[in-house]
Each structure stands twice: as C-alpha cells, then as structure tokens.
Amino acid sequence: MKILVPVKRVVDGNVKVRVKADGSGVDLANLKMAMNPFDEIAVEEALRLKEAGKAQEIVVVSIGPAQALETLHTALAMGADRAILVRTDEAVEPLGVAKVLRGVALTEQPGLVILGKQAIDDDCNQTGQMLAALLGWAQGTFASELAVEGDKARVTREVDGGLQTVELKLPAIVTTDLRLNEPRYASLPNIMKAKKKPIDEKSPASYGVDLAPRLKILRTEEPHARKPGVKVASVAELIDKLSNEACVL
Amino acid sequence: MAILLIAEHDNATVMELTARALSAALLIGTDIDVLVAGSHARPTAEAVAGLKGVRKVLLAEADELAERLAEPLAALIVSLADGYDTILAPATSSGKNVAPRVAALLDVAQVSEIIEVVAPDTFKRPIYAGNAVQTVQALDSRKIVTVRPASFAPASQGGAAPVLTVPSAGDPGLSSCVGNRLSETVRPELTSARIVISGGRALGSTEKFEEVLLPLADTLGAAVGASRAAVDEGYAPNDWQVGQTGKVVAPDLYIACGISGAIQHLAGMKDSKVIVAVNKDEEAPIFQVADYGLVGDLFEIVPAFEKALRDRA
Ligand SMILES: Cc1cc2nc3c(=O)[nH]c(=O)nc-3n(C[C@H](O)[C@H](O)[C@H](O)COP(=O)(O)OP(=O)(O)OC[C@H]3O[C@@H](n4cnc5c(N)ncnc54)[C@H](O)[C@@H]3O)c2cc1C
Ligand SMILES: Cc1cc2nc3c(=O)[nH]c(=O)nc-3n(C[C@H](O)[C@H](O)[C@H](O)COP(=O)(O)OP(=O)(O)OC[C@H]3O[C@@H](n4cnc5c(N)ncnc54)[C@H](O)[C@@H]3O)c2cc1C
C-alpha cells in the first residue's frame, strides 16, 4: 500500500503574527516558517505504518510556492520516500487544495491519505473532509489512534464527548489529532540522504483544477484586546472582587 | 433566504449548542429549518421545535444516522440541500466532521467557525489561533458555514414549529462505528457552562487534578477544562482540552490554575467575560489576559478558595 501525506508550510506555531496596519492581511515577511504540526504527526504515522510493514511507499505533497520545497525536504528527511510540489503562488482555498489533492490521489492511487486535522494558520479544518467527499472515500477525522488491518482501517477519533472508534473501508482519508503520536526529528544522515530523494514539480493545471477563489477576504484585523487586569493578594480579596466588582459569583 | 441548520444532539437531548447556532442563523435570515438526524431522535426533534425562530424541524431517523458518521449524514444533507441558500452547523466535532464533506459534494467553499455575522454572505472568523480576525465574504450562491457556539447567545424558547419526517439517504457503506468511550459527567457541558475551571501541567497527576480541582468545580457548579499539557500527560480526558485545537469556551468566569497561557490555550478562552489566573510564576503570560491574578501555589490557593466559598454559602 502507498500512503499519501499532504504537508503545508505555515508560520511557526511559536511566532505571534501581526496584522498589517491597513487591514489587508497578516504580515508574513521574514517570519520563521515550519511544517504544520499536525502534518508532522501525519508523516510520523505514515512512517510507523511503513516500519510495521503495512505500507511500502510514502509520498508527500505540498501545494504552494517554491518555498514549500523546504517543508517537503523536512518530510523526506523524516523518512518519506518521494515528494510532489504542486507549485502555485496564488492563495489556495481548502476546496481548491482538496481538488488538487484529488488529482494527485487519482494518479498515485494511495490506499490511505493522512492529513492534519487543521492548519494552524487558517484554522479551517476542512481539507481532509473535502478530499474524502471528492473521492467518495470514507473519512476518519481527528484521529488519536490508527490501525490498518487488511482492507480496513480502524480509527479512534477525539470527539466532543470523548472518543469514538470507527472502521473505514480502504482507500480512506484520516486526519490527525495531537495525541496520535510524537513526531521524530530528522537525523543528520537522513537529512543528507533526503537530498537525493526525488521531488516532482507539477502545476494545478496538470490536474485540470480551477483555483479561482470562492471567498473574498474583505479585511483582517486585530482581535479585541482585553482590558489590563490586576493582581489580588489573597483568596478573600479575589472572592470580594468576583462578587462585588465583576458580579460573577 | 431559507436556511438549513444541522442540530447537535445526543439522540436524547438537544444540546444548547444548537440554540446558539440558531441565533447565528437568525442573524442571516428568517426561514430556518432544523435537521435532526439520528435514531430514536423524536424527543430531540420536539425539543428543537420549541425553539423560537424555527420554521420547521426535519426529522430523519435511521440506524446509519445513529452515530453521526460523516458519510451517511453528508449524503442526507446533500439530498435536502436544494431548497436552501445557507447550510449551517455548530462547529462541534460532529459539525466540523460533516460540513466540509457537504461543501465539497455541493462544490461550495466553506466558512469555518464564524464568530460574527456581518451580512448574510459576510462573516468574521478568527485565524492564527485568534491572533487575527478575518472578515470573509462567501461568493458562492450557496453558503456553508460552521458557527462557533461560544460566540452566540442561545436562542430563546417559545416556538411551536411542526416536525416533519424525511427519509435517510441511505448508508454508503464506507464506514461503521465500532464503539464509543464517552466520558461520563454530571457537570455542565464545557462549551456552554457559565463557569469553567481549568487545570494545567502543574497539577502533576490525575489524582491531584481530581483532588484539587473537582471540589472547587462542584462548589461553583462549574465545568472542568484542561490545557493540552494536562491532557497529554493523562491527567484529564481529551474532551476537556481548551484551546486552538480543543474546545473554545467563553463563560462568564474562567479560572485557570497552573496554566502558563500559551497562545494555543488563550485561543480557546480569551473571550471569557472574566478570567482568573492562579500561577506561582508572576511572569506567566496567562496574567496578561487575566482580570484577576493570584500569584502563589495552587495547591494552597485552590482548596482555600473552595473552603471560603463553602463557608460563605
Ligand atoms: C502564497 C499563499 C498565500 C495565501 N494567503 C492566504 C490568505 O491570505 N488567506 C487565506 O485564507 N488563505 C491563504 N492561502 C491559502 C491557505 O494558506 C491554505 O492553503 C488554504 O486556505 C487551506 O486552509 P487550511 O490550511 O486552513 O486548511 P485545513 O483544512 O485546516 O488543512 C488541513 C490539512 O490539509 C492539508 N493541506 C492544507 N493546505 C495544504 C497545502 N497547501 N498543501 C498540502 N497540504 C495542505 C494539510 O495536511 C493540513 O494539515 C494562501 C496560500 C498561499 C500559497
Ligand atoms: C499544534 C499545537 C496545538 C496546541 N493546541 C493546544 C490547545 O488546544 N490547548 C492548549 O492548552 N495547549 C495547546 N497547545 C500546547 C501549548 O503550546 C502549551 O504547551 C500548553 O498549553 C501548556 O500547558 P500548561 O500551561 O498546562 O503547561 P506549562 O506551560 O508547563 O505551564 C505550567 C504552569 O504552571 C505553573 N505552576 C507550576 N506549579 C505550580 C503551582 N504549584 N501553583 C501554581 N502554578 C504552578 C507554572 O508557573 C507554569 O506557568 C498546542 C501546541 C501545539 C504545537
């Protein structure tokens, strides 16, 4: 079985982004970028399935500008076998990403596609579910456990009330939650080896996908700031403030 | 402008989340139908019919709908989509699971987790863990939207909408539910509770988490939340996680105990009306969003707080 893992290049989760003063967006110039953390978890899970003999090949794909090559190199250094960059300098919405990924999946014929449950920049939480719909495949979202047995995948999902375990007919889509695994770091020898691994470059047009935007971002602004608070010295003072000033007790 | 709202329920009770999402729907338009899909879900449908502003309730009952699996539920919603300009779901794990599937089947872009309705086609939504807020206009003629429940007050009671049954669209046979391990709780539901008390890594063990936080939660009638670190360490179950990738809460009072205040955690609670932080490090970032900060050892402060409240009552 082949596993396809889409990986996205995002602003590093430890960086606090700034909104541009003219409201036109978020200032991404010179910020540290990294692989979306959920996608690192997706790559790790694919590697573990390969190491367990459940998969033979791991293909990673990113849709984005030339700089997304960095993200693909990271995935290859972790242990993926080859990479595809679907190059575009345009902003691509989740539906567009899913349509391109559908094209990739139809050519690559994976048994499993593992994506992150959400990208930590746009926080859409859509792409995996959309890809499942476009392919007519089963979906197991927000996975905290994954097991592959024959032509089935068993996925334990983190849901609002606790955990739900579903069985999916393969091929299927899985999206990762935080507790699925702890991703490995790439070792120096593997970083060197990764330099020789093949990276294919494609364009959205090679999959016949129209990426015209369906959403228009009118404005990007700072969230409401909270009023500065105070320190209280004791539990008694806290209870007094909560009862008489904030009126919430 | 007809709207289809997908109800969140547990086959037995309507969750308040549905009433909150209904409030968002009422800001978009007026002809609002609510879909209740499940098994043995008639009592839920009748409860939904009592919400003010509902035109009619569509009740679909079938075995394949019992567990809210995305594949049969999406097929059902698509089969009903024709009469509606907007399809709305609360941004719960179930809504987040099914809405994008519906959107892609209808070839429509989705707007995720709106926090404000600006116009029927224009919404505000947070990005970058709430560090920026985008105003997005949906250009497709049909809109698919998920709603962050914590950002909308629940719609009121006092409606009397008819309940109509609709057929399931069948089971595509792609997936099945093997089992659920749901946490049992007698406490209020986290995302709609009036008071939330959350614990972080500082609690150190499941035993301490329970021994120290739960009595205060019960004295206050509060729901219990946790940071990701506390959940990862196994001190608290996964469905208690508050944050960018957990639940988003906006209670009247949020009490953070031994939580440092990473941006991913703040994303889930910084719209709370009043925030209290208890942390032994006076430089902890949580104090930057706290209305009232108490610097000190939570293992002393929290039990003292609980005792003082009990003595007061
Ligand atoms: C140069 C550039 C500028 C952009 N500017 C904006 C902007 O201003 N506003 C805006 O809304 N969007 C913008 N986008 C698009 C945006 O970054 C996302 O790619 C898209 O909206 C998907 O949303 P998401 O990442 O939140 O999806 P989610 O559904 O949260 O992502 C879930 C998963 O899908 C997969 N995935 C998502 N995107 C990709 C990808 N590109 N390649 C491979 N796998 C992927 C990953 O596995 C990810 O974990 C821009 C994109 C580019 C390339
Ligand atoms: C992709 C991604 C998604 C994430 N999503 C989330 C999310 O949804 N929710 C979330 O919470 N986190 C999330 N995180 C993790 C987040 O970055 C932090 O690591 C996490 O919130 C830290 O938890 P904490 O505050 O409990 O632990 P720590 O940061 O370790 O803080 C513990 C605090 O307790 C204090 N303390 C210690 N002992 C005592 C004592 N006796 N009395 C009082 N105070 C004490 C310390 O001073 C410290 O401030 C995410 C991270 C990533 C990368």
Side-chain angles (χ1 to χ4, degrees):
Chain A
M1 179 174 80
K2 192 192 281 184
I3 302 179
L4 182 67
V5 183
V7 293
K8 186 182 179 189
R9 180 171 176 266
V10 299
V11 173
D12 185 283
N14 298 314
V15 174
K16 188 168 188 299
V17 298
R18 297 228 164 275
V19 173
K20 289 187 198 160
D22 63 359
S24 66
V26 165
D27 192 359
L28 298 181
N30 304 320
L31 290 187
K32 182 168 175 238
M33 305 294 281
M35 192 192 306
N36 180 34
F38 288 96
D39 301 353
E40 289 180 346
I41 297 173
V43 173
E44 176 66 34
E45 198 63 18
L47 294 173
R48 290 185 188 187
L49 285 167
K50 186 178 170 192
E51 285 157 3
K54 305 279 184 186
Q56 282 67 52
E57 191 187 23
I58 299 166
V59 181
V60 288
V61 54
S62 193
I63 299 145
Q67 292 89 321
L69 277 171
E70 270 171 46
T71 312
L72 292 171
H73 280 134
T74 309
L76 292 173
M78 284 175 76
D81 298 294
R82 64 189 170 83
I84 304 169
L85 171 66
V86 183
R87 193 165 161 181
T88 171
D89 293 321
E90 305 297 318
V92 191
E93 295 167 358
L95 184 59
V97 172
K99 286 180 177 176
V100 171
L101 293 176
R102 173 179 176 273
V104 176
L106 291 178
T107 347
E108 295 288 339
Q109 300 280 323
L112 196 60
V113 184
I114 312 181
L115 305 87
K117 83 162 174 181
Q118 80 195 63
I120 59 163
D121 48 3
D122 295 304
D123 285 334
C124 285
N125 196 332
Q126 300 179 3
T127 309
Q129 298 88 313
M130 288 182 158
L131 177 60
L134 296 176
L135 289 166
W137 292 2
Q139 68 187 55
T141 51
F142 327 144
S144 65
E145 275 175 61
L146 168 63
V148 174
E149 234 18 277
D151 61 350
K152 296 259 163 66
R154 192 172 272 234
V155 179
T156 298
R157 309 178 51 229
E158 296 204 359
V159 296
D160 287 342
L163 297 168
Q164 179 185 54
T165 304
V166 293
E167 198 167 77
L168 312 178
K169 211 167 102 183
L170 295 178
I173 306 291
V174 170
T175 76
T176 60
D177 217 317
L178 292 169
R179 280 165 284 276
L180 184 58
N181 62 49
E182 268 191 54
R184 71 194 64 187
Y185 292 104
S187 66
L188 197 55
N190 283 345
I191 293 173
M192 301 311 290
K193 258 203 319 217
K195 299 210 162 115
K196 299 203 190 72
K197 291 182 181 174
I199 302 185
D200 241 4
E201 196 172 310
K202 303 270 188 197
S203 69
S206 27
Y207 300 101
V209 176
D210 171 15
L211 293 177
R214 313 285 198 85
L215 300 172
K216 193 167 159 192
I217 314 291
L218 302 181
R219 223 187 123 66
T220 304
E221 61 201 325
E222 298 272 354
H224 298 297
R226 291 190 72 91
K227 278 207 299 300
V230 296
K231 295 255 167 66
V232 293
S234 66
V235 165
E237 190 187 344
L238 177 63
I239 292 181
D240 175 58
K241 295 268 192 206
L242 290 177
S243 313
N244 302 319
E245 190 175 273
C247 305
V248 289
L249 279 189
Chain B
M1 278 299 285
I3 301 173
L4 181 65
L5 169 65
I6 316 304
E8 178 79 19
H9 65 90
D10 59 3
N11 278 322
T13 52
V14 207
M15 320 275 286
E16 191 188 290
L17 305 166
T18 306
R20 289 174 180 266
L22 176 59
S23 292
L26 285 162
L27 295 168
I28 298 172
T30 44
D31 298 332
I32 302 163
D33 296 347
V34 183
L35 173 66
V36 175
S39 72
H40 310 289
R42 181 166 286 276
T44 313
E46 275 158 12
V48 171
L51 290 171
K52 212 163 171 174
V54 177
R55 179 175 68 175
K56 55 183 192 285
V57 178
L58 308 179
L59 171 63
E61 289 180 297
D63 288 344
E64 66 269 17
L65 298 173
E67 301 292 347
R68 277 167 288 283
L69 295 172
E71 300 83 356
L73 183 54
L76 169 66
I77 296 168
V78 169
S79 78
L80 297 169
D82 258 355
Y84 299 98
D85 309 291
T86 302
I87 300 176
L88 214 77
T92 55
S93 57
S94 171
K96 289 175 183 172
N97 190 31
V98 76
R101 190 167 180 112
V102 172
L105 290 171
L106 297 172
D107 195 24
V108 171
Q110 171 179 310
V111 184
S112 293
E113 289 220 48
I114 63 161
I115 56 171
E116 198 181 313
V117 176
V118 177
D121 64 349
T122 306
F123 312 95
K124 288 195 181 183
R125 61 177 302 266
I127 54 173
Y128 289 95
N131 282 317
V133 176
Q134 245 178 12
T135 305
V136 186
Q137 183 182 20
L139 306 175
D140 289 305
S141 59
R142 190 180 270 143
K143 276 86 187 142
I144 312 269
V145 176
T146 63
V147 177
R148 176 175 287 186
S151 301
F152 297 87
S156 50
Q157 299 286 329
V163 177
L164 279 60
T165 54
V166 294
S168 162
D171 185 358
L174 294 168
S175 68
S176 59
C177 178
V178 181
N180 291 308
R181 267 174 287 159
L182 302 184
S183 3
E184 289 183 22
T185 176
V186 289
R187 298 196 182 81
E189 195 271 321
L190 189 53
T191 54
S192 49
R194 209 181 63 78
I195 304 180
V196 173
I197 165 156
S198 286
R201 192 198 311 271
L203 270 304
S205 68
T206 315
E207 294 70 33
K208 283 288 172 203
F209 201 99
E210 292 178 357
E211 193 182 304
V212 178
L213 286 197
L214 301 194
L216 177 57
D218 292 337
T219 303
L220 287 167
V224 185
S227 71
R228 173 190 171 184
V231 176
D232 283 1
E233 298 293 338
Y235 310 158
N238 66 275
D239 53 310
W240 288 8
Q241 182 177 314
V242 171
Q244 181 188 16
T245 55
K247 288 185 179 158
V248 178
V249 303
D252 289 346
L253 175 59
Y254 187 90
I255 307 175
C257 304
I259 292 179
S260 58
I263 55 168
Q264 293 91 354
H265 187 79
L266 302 186
M269 44 64 77
K270 71 180 158 70
D271 291 326
S272 305
K273 214 187 275 164
V274 176
I275 297 174
V276 169
V278 178
N279 197 303
K280 69 174 183 193
D281 172 10
E282 66 174 327
E283 301 292 325
I286 190 77
F287 287 124
Q288 290 165 19
V289 299
D291 299 284
Y292 304 110
L294 194 42
V295 179
D297 183 0
L298 77 90
F299 295 106
E300 289 164 20
I301 292 171
V302 174
F305 188 19
E306 195 271 333
K307 184 171 179 306
L309 288 171
R310 228 180 333 115
D311 291 347
R312 199 178 69 135

